[in-house]
Amino acid sequence: MDNIDIPSYFLCPISLEIMRDPVTVCSGMTYERESIERWIFTSKNSSCPVTRQPLSDSDLTPNHTLRRLIQAWCTLNSSNGIERFPTPKPPVDKAQIVKLLNDGKAQQHQMSCLRNLKSIANESKRNRRCLESAGVVEFLASIVSSTNLEDDEDTSGRAIDEALNLLYHLQISETGIKKLINRNSGEFIQTLMRVLQNGTYRSRAYAVLLLKFMFEFADPIYLMSLRVEQFVEIVNVLRDQISQHATMAALQIMVEICPWGRNKIKAVEAGAVSVLIEMLIETTDQRRVCEMVLVVLDHLCRCAEGRAELFRHGAGIAVVSKKILRVSHVASERGVRILSSISKFSATSNVLQEMLQVGVVTKLYLVLQVDCSLKTKEKAKEMLRLHSRVWKNSSCIPVHLLSCYPS
């Protein structure tokens, strides 16, 4: 095939590959549908790749004549290893989706409707955009909100699973996410919290993934109004380790919402600190998870309640110290920041003695001698200077390190 002279007008100007589903845009140029849809919808370009003329709309007109020419050429060159491709399936339109949604309002057709919507969404980015514009997001949200989680799991559970799965994979636009947040004065977020409490593992995983997107765009005033009970459900996702994606989403939610108002204290009251410490103990080969856990702990240790919980856990200080210089630069930086918060604001004699005994002081010495960021080294020096009277002459510190003690 490399030696076959392919007519240039059979090739897509973007990918330079032979077109299977040629479409013409408003500038008059013809492209492979998949390539131009990626250009418009994924790369978010608003001009023709060749002419640079503005693309006034996203309508793509099938070039049936060119497609038939290409198919005929493929047939003539079949002896050279070129296969004739089938006629492409026409893209879905808004009217088809609206009819599907109307049919899906009947309980007996609901699951069939959800399966069809999922199949359409999986075909292309363009289809997902079309689904969103036709009102599918509102339809799916209404299924999740109206279904009783305590009903027969085989019916209601599957409907919620499929609806949440589709909502997540639709890759809803920012505008769509904001509409979902404001739906019935934030009622959908409360619905997702109920799913976290009573849903199946699969539903809970998709619910927390959706909450991550929603909290990224939520108004800070709403974030400050979150209740301890809602933090409990997010912490339970971390405790239950539903899936790695769900765990990362829950950690990202905590990073997003903890800086606002009294949320750090609410997270501590929900039991976050002990769960995070247990995750650090169990996490051995998941670098990103370990980093995120330390980021959240860093936030929580900026309040007295968080530091008290860390110290109350028998392994809290020790496991934070252990992760420094063992995981990554990010983990080392966050670990040192956590210890810095403790040494500055919660440095009782018991705390200082524990930091000696579990090797924190020795670890701080090592931080000064290895390739760490300047800011991390400065924090380590600051801690060593701050408590030099307690630590400098301790028998817990190896003799060969004493010469490195900062003056």
Side-chain angles (χ1 to χ4, degrees):
M1 183 171 173
D2 292 338
N3 298 322
I4 297 174
D5 184 17
I6 302 174
S8 61
Y9 50 90
F10 286 1
L11 301 176
C12 175
I14 301 176
S15 62
L16 297 180
E17 294 180 354
I18 192 166
M19 290 185 280
R20 293 172 172 268
D21 187 7
V23 292
T24 303
V25 298
C26 56
S27 67
M29 294 297 300
T30 297
Y31 301 95
E32 167 63 25
R33 180 185 293 278
E34 183 179 350
S35 297
I36 193 62
E37 285 184 350
R38 189 184 307 117
W39 173 268
I40 296 172
F41 300 129
T42 304
S43 303
K44 297 182 179 179
N45 295 292
S46 58
S47 61
C48 175
V50 175
T51 68
R52 299 301 175 188
Q53 288 178 246
L55 296 178
S56 58
D57 54 54
S58 57
D59 290 336
L60 307 176
T61 305
N63 192 329
H64 297 299
T65 301
L66 180 57
R67 174 179 53 76
R68 293 189 188 104
L69 283 172
I70 295 173
Q71 287 178 321
W73 181 85
C74 289
T75 300
L76 289 172
N77 288 276
S78 59
S79 60
N80 296 314
I82 296 177
E83 296 181 4
R84 184 184 186 279
F85 54 86
T87 300
K89 183 180 177 182
V92 69
D93 60 36
K94 195 171 180 178
Q96 290 175 273
I97 298 169
V98 170
K99 183 182 183 305
L100 194 57
L101 296 184
N102 288 333
D103 293 341
K105 290 176 182 177
Q107 184 73 33
Q108 64 269 29
H109 300 310
Q110 194 175 82
M111 288 304 299
S112 174
C113 174
L114 289 171
R115 285 191 291 269
N116 287 332
L117 290 173
K118 184 177 181 180
S119 176
I120 292 169
N122 288 339
E123 286 178 8
S124 68
K125 175 77 172 179
R126 181 235 178 238
N127 280 7
R128 291 191 287 274
R129 289 280 293 271
C130 191
L131 288 170
E132 183 176 340
S133 67
V136 167
V137 172
E138 180 66 26
F139 173 75
L140 296 172
S142 67
I143 288 178
V144 180
S145 299
S146 62
T147 305
N148 189 342
L149 289 166
E150 296 179 358
D151 284 347
D152 178 19
E153 182 180 319
D154 192 44
T155 54
S156 63
R158 283 192 298 127
I160 291 178
D161 281 357
E162 290 302 321
L164 290 174
N165 179 342
L166 188 50
L167 272 173
Y168 173 68
H169 286 104
L170 274 179
Q171 301 172 10
I172 307 170
S173 66
E174 181 177 337
T175 301
I177 287 286
K178 289 180 177 178
K179 285 182 181 177
L180 207 52
I181 293 171
N182 297 322
R183 183 179 188 271
N184 296 339
S185 302
E187 176 264 347
F188 190 64
I189 290 181
Q190 302 304 319
T191 296
L192 291 180
M193 287 295 181
R194 289 196 296 273
V195 172
L196 288 185
Q197 184 176 24
N198 299 312
T200 65
Y201 265 34
R202 188 164 178 252
S203 291
R204 291 174 69 201
Y206 284 121
V208 78
L209 288 165
L210 284 167
L211 281 169
K212 178 181 80 73
F213 291 130
M214 296 176 76
F215 283 143
E216 287 174 1
F217 297 105
D219 191 294
I221 294 174
Y222 180 83
L223 296 180
M224 287 188 281
S225 70
L226 292 172
R227 303 187 307 277
V228 173
E229 293 80 8
Q230 293 169 312
F231 280 88
V232 168
E233 299 309 328
I234 297 168
V235 170
N236 283 340
V237 172
L238 295 174
R239 178 183 285 112
D240 294 344
Q241 298 286 293
I242 298 172
S243 71
Q244 188 165 349
H245 287 307
T247 295
M248 284 300 297
L251 289 170
Q252 287 165 333
I253 288 173
M254 296 290 279
V255 172
E256 187 71 36
I257 65 181
C258 280
W260 299 102
R262 299 183 71 256
N263 284 353
K264 287 187 282 289
I265 296 172
K266 296 173 190 175
V268 173
E269 291 175 357
V273 173
S274 61
V275 171
L276 292 168
I277 292 170
E278 292 300 324
M279 289 178 68
L280 278 183
I281 293 171
E282 296 168 6
T283 301
T284 56
D285 58 351
Q286 296 175 312
R287 180 181 65 84
R288 186 59 182 150
V289 171
C290 182
E291 289 174 349
M292 289 297 294
V293 169
L294 289 168
V295 169
V296 179
L297 273 177
D298 180 23
H299 280 294
L300 300 186
C301 285
R302 295 176 197 178
C303 67
E305 293 82 354
R307 295 189 295 273
E309 283 299 310
L310 184 78
F311 183 62
R312 190 172 289 120
H313 192 292
I317 293 177
V319 73
V320 170
S321 174
K322 183 178 180 180
K323 297 300 178 181
I324 296 172
L325 304 182
R326 288 195 175 192
V327 180
S328 66
H329 285 299
V330 172
S332 296
E333 178 186 352
R334 292 293 178 164
V336 169
R337 286 176 60 162
I338 293 167
L339 297 176
S340 176
S341 294
I342 293 170
S343 72
K344 274 185 181 179
F345 307 112
S346 303
T348 64
S349 58
N350 287 339
V351 170
L352 294 178
Q353 286 302 314
E354 179 170 342
M355 292 176 84
L356 267 173
Q357 292 165 5
V358 300
V360 168
V361 182
T362 300
K363 185 62 69 79
L364 295 177
Y365 275 117
L366 295 175
V367 167
L368 299 181
Q369 298 175 45
V370 298
D371 181 25
C372 285
S373 70
L374 184 61
K375 188 180 290 187
T376 301
K377 289 188 176 186
E378 285 302 317
K379 284 193 175 294
K381 281 183 183 179
E382 183 183 20
M383 281 186 273
L384 290 169
R385 290 191 187 113
L386 188 61
H387 304 296
S388 60
R389 285 199 293 178
V390 177
W391 290 344
K392 191 170 184 179
N393 298 313
S394 171
S395 59
C396 294
I397 302 174
V399 177
H400 69 279
L401 293 177
L402 287 175
S403 59
C404 304
Y405 206 101
S407 56

